[in-house]
Amino acid sequence: MKKRSKLIRNILKGINHYFLFFLLVAFVITCCTMLFVSVLKESLNLTLTDENIGFAAKITFWNVVLLSLIFTVIDAIRRKITFERPVKQIINAAEKIIQGDFSVRVKAKTKFGADETLNRVIDCFNKMAEELGSVEMLRTDFISNVSHEMKTPLSVMQNYGTLMQSPDLSDEKRIEYAKAISETSRRMADMMTNILKLNRLENQQIYPKTEEFDLGEQLCECLLQYENIWENKKIEISTDIEENVNVKADAELLSLVWNNLFSNAFKFTKEGDTVSVFLTSTKNHAIVMVNDTGCGMTSEVGKHIFEKFYQGDTSHSTQGNGLGLALVKKVIDVMHGEISVESAVGVGTTFTVKIRRN
């Protein structure tokens, strides 16, 4: 039934195109013929009889019919090659994308008569398919990573909870297991908090609330929060902070940046090594550098450190969830700032953040 209906529509469409060409050709030929006959009659002083006119009209009519048919066929072939076939390919590709196949691509038309506008549509379609594929891959990886990150601490909590049920467990061990459960639950809570913050930033549900404040003071306040850590690890602190460097930015969001960078610096710096913080300024920017003399990282690891859940050094995986630097990067992007990293294995790592002052 559908095929029959489609056939009828195609026939009606063909008839419609034919009559359009028929009227156009009839009008053009009639005008040209009348002009030709009029000029010829006046030039040669000819007398046209009804018989001559009738015969010429019949020939002209069938010429119009034939030419209209030829033009209709040529136009149908042209439309089929230059428009209908590419559009059908786009439709088929779109249907595959709907079914979840984001690898499909449509080839641009490079032959003679290719429509530039249609090629632009094809190019945009291919870019859309590529972006959708990237988003789907990120979504799949995100779900997989979240599941993995939650499974590990949940298993730890379950194991310690089972051990705590032992009737002959000493108070010392019970306190130790309770602390382990508490620490693991804290890590899960931090991970959920960072996931929510990242989600809100990516969906632009958090808008920077700009206020003017002293960046040097904020850096010192954030650094002092880690005093117990650097004292316990006997880490030397070196600072060179320029005074009176005011910026107009979201203080709360920027504190997330410094806390994550300082936390990483102390995490990867060995006992007795050094963590340095520098603040300099130009007319339009404030530049913060956080340097540590820790284990460092390879260039390959450096390419991925701002990705969600990526942890280049798995020996410290129990101390984080791979979301801190992803959150840092997103905050910096939201504030239209810049962040870069330089690192060498066994030498250390330096993060450089550039923030607009106005």
Side-chain angles (χ1 to χ4, degrees):
M1 188 66 182
K2 290 182 178 180
K3 289 183 178 179
R4 184 179 178 182
S5 177
K6 184 177 180 180
L7 178 62
I8 293 174
R9 286 199 304 269
N10 289 336
I11 292 174
L12 293 175
K13 187 186 294 184
I15 294 173
N16 179 59
H17 287 165
Y18 174 79
F19 275 108
L20 287 175
F21 279 111
F22 179 85
L23 293 174
L24 177 63
V25 173
F27 175 75
V28 173
I29 289 181
T30 300
C31 293
C32 293
T33 302
M34 291 178 64
L35 180 63
F36 174 76
V37 170
S38 176
V39 173
L40 188 66
K41 181 181 177 182
E42 292 180 1
S43 300
L44 301 178
N45 295 321
L46 295 177
T47 302
L48 299 177
T49 64
D50 293 340
E51 183 179 355
N52 298 138
I53 295 174
F55 179 74
K58 291 178 181 178
I59 294 177
T60 303
F61 173 78
W62 289 112
N63 279 336
V64 170
V65 171
L66 179 61
L67 289 174
S68 300
L69 180 62
I70 293 173
F71 289 158
T72 302
V73 172
I74 293 174
D75 182 64
I77 295 173
R78 179 192 65 81
R79 288 173 59 85
K80 188 78 173 178
I81 295 175
T82 63
F83 182 75
E84 293 182 5
R85 188 177 296 174
V87 169
K88 187 176 181 180
Q89 291 176 352
I90 294 175
I91 293 172
N92 292 336
E95 289 176 347
K96 290 182 180 180
I97 289 178
I98 292 172
Q99 295 171 2
D101 181 8
F102 298 103
S103 64
V104 64
R105 299 290 184 273
V106 181
K107 290 184 178 179
K109 303 303 170 185
T110 57
K111 296 181 180 179
F112 176 76
D115 192 323
E116 182 180 351
T117 303
L118 193 60
N119 279 339
R120 289 183 62 187
V121 172
I122 291 173
D123 184 53
C124 291
F125 179 89
N126 289 336
K127 289 180 179 178
M128 179 195 69
E130 184 178 354
E131 290 297 323
L132 287 173
S134 301
V135 171
E136 178 64 18
M137 186 179 298
L138 286 173
R139 186 185 69 85
T140 304
D141 290 344
F142 181 78
I143 293 174
S144 175
N145 287 325
V146 169
S147 301
H148 173 75
E149 291 294 332
M150 291 188 67
K151 184 178 180 180
T152 302
L154 285 173
S155 298
V156 171
M157 293 170 66
Q158 184 179 12
N159 292 335
Y160 280 121
T162 302
L163 291 173
M164 289 181 67
Q165 297 175 21
S166 177
D168 56 348
L169 187 68
S170 65
D171 291 340
E172 183 181 351
K173 285 293 184 180
R174 197 181 304 276
I175 292 174
E176 179 184 344
Y177 296 160
K179 286 183 178 180
I181 292 175
S182 177
E183 179 63 23
T184 304
S185 64
R186 184 195 61 77
R187 284 187 56 228
M188 285 188 64
D190 290 343
M191 181 179 70
M192 292 297 104
T193 300
N194 285 336
I195 288 175
L196 290 173
K197 287 178 180 176
L198 268 174
N199 182 64
R200 292 176 65 192
L201 282 169
E202 289 174 345
N203 289 287
Q204 294 185 345
Q205 294 177 357
I206 295 180
Y207 297 94
K209 299 177 181 179
T210 58
E211 58 178 311
E212 188 170 351
F213 61 93
D214 191 313
L215 183 58
E217 289 184 5
Q218 185 187 53
L219 287 170
C220 292
E221 290 173 0
C222 291
L223 189 60
L224 286 173
Q225 296 179 23
Y226 298 89
E227 185 175 3
N228 290 335
I229 296 177
W230 82 58
E231 286 183 350
N232 291 335
K233 294 181 69 173
K234 297 181 174 59
I235 295 175
E236 182 179 347
I237 304 298
S238 175
T239 60
D240 185 2
I241 297 177
E242 183 179 328
E243 295 182 354
N244 301 320
V245 178
N246 293 332
V247 296
K248 285 185 178 180
D250 190 313
E252 184 178 352
L253 287 179
L254 267 186
S255 67
L256 291 176
V257 173
W258 315 135
N259 285 332
N260 276 288
L261 293 182
F262 293 158
S263 176
N264 280 343
F266 290 121
K267 181 195 306 183
F268 294 105
T269 300
K270 296 179 181 179
E271 186 173 335
D273 282 353
T274 304
V275 171
S276 304
V277 180
F278 304 95
L279 170 62
T280 58
S281 66
T282 63
K283 181 179 180 181
N284 298 318
H285 294 90
I287 303 169
V288 178
M289 299 175 65
V290 180
N291 171 265
D292 66 68
T293 55
C295 57
M297 56 187 165
T298 64
S299 58
E300 183 63 27
V301 171
K303 294 177 182 177
H304 302 282
I305 58 171
F306 295 114
E307 297 176 5
K308 298 174 186 176
F309 297 105
Y310 184 80
Q311 294 184 351
D313 185 359
T314 55
S315 65
H316 291 80
S317 59
T318 58
Q319 302 176 33
N321 46 53
L323 287 171
L325 289 177
L327 183 59
V328 166
K329 182 66 167 63
K330 193 62 187 178
V331 169
I332 296 300
D333 288 344
V334 167
M335 294 189 174
H336 305 290
E338 300 176 17
I339 183 170
S340 60
V341 59
E342 295 181 5
S343 185
V345 177
V347 177
T349 302
T350 301
F351 284 92
T352 303
V353 178
K354 183 182 289 187
I355 302 293
R356 289 182 179 179
R357 298 189 65 179
N358 299 316

